[in-house]
Amino acid sequence: MAGEVRVEVVDESVDTERLEVLALLLRQELLMLDVRSVEPYAEGEAPPGSKGGLAAVAGVLSVSLAPGLQAIGGVVGVIREWLRRSSGGRSVKVTIDGDVIELTGASDEMQQQLIDTFVRRHAGADV
């Protein structure tokens, strides 16, 4: 069952500052869901002199949610809609327990089947 979901905005055409802005825009939309929290993802040591103990990773969010199909499906749905409205060439990697799926703005049937399988795999016993 998923409790923590890592969401990474991928866009090779922008710098790390723009990735941060994109991630914050996506964060605002994810916060409209019934999630526990959506925070910048951090790992490793923060640079010397900074206040935090961990360094934030550009364009990456950590989403804390209740287990279940509905919670994971909601996160994926918001991401897909966000991608459809954004410029081409952008994708979002969703990671749950080391399992990764990369979403694009495409709405083809194959991507939907892959998403459905991914969500069911991490939804737990309430499927």
Side-chain angles (χ1 to χ4, degrees), residues 30-65:
L30 290 170
L31 283 170
M32 289 190 262
L33 297 172
D34 186 19
V35 296
R36 293 180 183 151
S37 68
V38 182
E39 301 298 332
Y41 179 80
E43 68 180 17
E45 293 296 316
S50 62
K51 292 184 180 183
L54 297 174
V57 180
V60 183
L61 302 169
S62 178
V63 182
S64 178
L65 44 84

Side-chain angles (χ1 to χ4, degrees), residues 7-10 16 19-24 41 56-61:
V7 175
E8 178 183 358
V9 177
V10 179
T16 56
L19 276 179
E20 281 301 311
V21 170
L22 292 171
L24 291 175
Y41 179 80
V57 180
V60 183
L61 302 169

